[in-house]
Amino acid sequence: MKVIIYSKKVCPYCDRAKRLLQNKGVAFEEILIDGQHELYQELKEKTGHMTVPQIFIGDKFIGGYDDLKTLEDAAKLDQLLR
């Protein structure tokens, strides 16, 4: 399953999300939105979220780090990654 993380260079929550996925051995594509105002605006309009990271698994918007961690803690993340 394709995983995409929209993030910024200086973002502790982005780092935590990437580390969680790396520790699980999940490959992901990171798209840095620093300096990409139009892309960031499009992303906010699409998801309704104002912060990063913004994480997609397949075509499904998962949310941010807290949402990713909640899925992991509930043992539901692996199911989504299949």
Side-chain angles (χ1 to χ4, degrees):
M1 185 67 64
K2 185 173 184 172
V3 178
I4 299 174
I5 299 177
Y6 291 86
S7 66
K8 291 185 176 182
K9 290 179 186 174
V10 179
C11 170
Y13 288 98
C14 299
D15 294 340
R16 290 177 189 160
K18 293 183 285 187
R19 191 168 31 255
L20 188 155
L21 292 170
Q22 288 167 340
N23 289 342
K24 294 183 72 59
V26 175
F28 57 87
E29 177 183 352
E30 180 180 15
I31 299 174
L32 293 173
I33 61 169
D34 296 284
Q36 297 194 56
H37 182 72
E38 288 182 23
L39 175 59
Y40 189 37
Q41 284 302 116
E42 290 174 19
L43 192 58
K44 289 190 292 187
E45 289 173 15
K46 179 178 179 180
T47 65
H49 283 249
M50 306 301 281
T51 60
V52 289
Q54 293 196 22
I55 304 163
F56 290 82
I57 297 177
D59 292 334
K60 183 176 180 175
F61 175 61
I62 299 304
Y65 169 73
D66 291 339
D67 303 298
L68 184 70
K69 181 74 166 109
T70 297
L71 287 169
E72 174 67 3
D73 291 346
K76 294 180 179 178
L77 182 57
D78 289 338
Q79 194 174 17
L80 287 174
L81 293 168
R82 288 191 198 120

